[in-house]
Amino acid sequence: MTNKRAIRVGELLKEEISQIVLREMKDPRIGFVSVTDVEVSGDLRHAKVFISVYGSDKEKEETLEGLQQAQGFVRKLVGERIKIHHTPEIIFRYDDSIENGVHISEIIKDLKESGEIKESDSDAEEN
């Protein structure tokens, strides 16, 4: 059974952390970041924050490093903004699901162009 409170807190954390990263982080290592998801433990003491970064592999690495060093700062601001008994420990993780989706779309497009797969009638009508 899914803890509804953990889900609600996760959504709230996602909004707040997105705003903090966008508006209040001054670290030059942190590039163009999107918070894609937040998973909160059932006891609300730990939060995994999944991020997607636009840029090269080096920029992604530097951004994750900058965010990991700013965990305490982010947690402090979250604690000031969200009134819950314990502010969760924040752990940043890289989320490559967007890149994987783009890669799969490119493969499908290449297969369609080479004729290895055919577009269905509904796809042909839309294009």
Side-chain angles (χ1 to χ4, degrees):
M1 184 172 155
T2 307
N3 185 341
K4 291 180 183 179
R5 180 159 170 78
I7 293 170
R8 288 194 319 263
V9 170
E11 288 298 316
L12 198 55
L13 285 172
K14 181 179 173 183
E15 290 177 28
E16 289 299 329
I17 293 171
S18 293
Q19 291 301 314
I20 291 168
V21 170
L22 181 66
R23 293 194 164 83
E24 300 190 37
M25 305 268 314
K26 305 296 185 211
D27 191 327
R29 294 174 294 180
I30 298 173
F32 184 72
V33 177
S34 295
V35 176
T36 58
D37 194 21
V38 176
E39 291 179 1
V40 180
S41 64
D43 62 1
L44 306 178
R45 294 198 179 251
H46 298 88
K48 288 182 191 171
V49 179
F50 294 93
I51 60 158
S52 178
V53 181
Y54 182 78
S56 68
D57 287 341
K58 183 180 181 203
E59 291 170 322
K60 292 173 187 175
E61 207 173 284
E62 289 175 351
T63 296
L64 189 56
E65 183 180 308
L67 288 171
Q68 287 171 339
Q69 288 188 349
Q71 286 174 347
F73 173 73
V74 173
R75 185 177 184 197
K76 175 184 169 278
L77 290 179
V78 166
E80 292 171 357
R81 296 176 184 185
I82 299 175
K83 302 300 177 200
I84 54 178
H85 190 62
H86 292 283
T87 304
E89 179 183 338
I90 295 171
I91 303 159
F92 288 100
R93 295 283 184 252
Y94 184 70
D95 180 6
D96 61 355
S97 62
I98 294 174
E99 290 176 8
N100 289 341
V102 169
H103 180 67
I104 290 170
S105 294
E106 289 173 356
I107 291 172
I108 292 171
K109 180 182 174 190
D110 290 344
L111 290 173
K112 284 180 179 179
E113 288 175 355
S114 69
E116 291 183 47
I117 61 172
K118 296 181 181 177
E119 292 185 38
S120 67
D121 294 335
S122 62
D123 286 345
E125 290 173 9
E126 290 177 315
N127 294 331

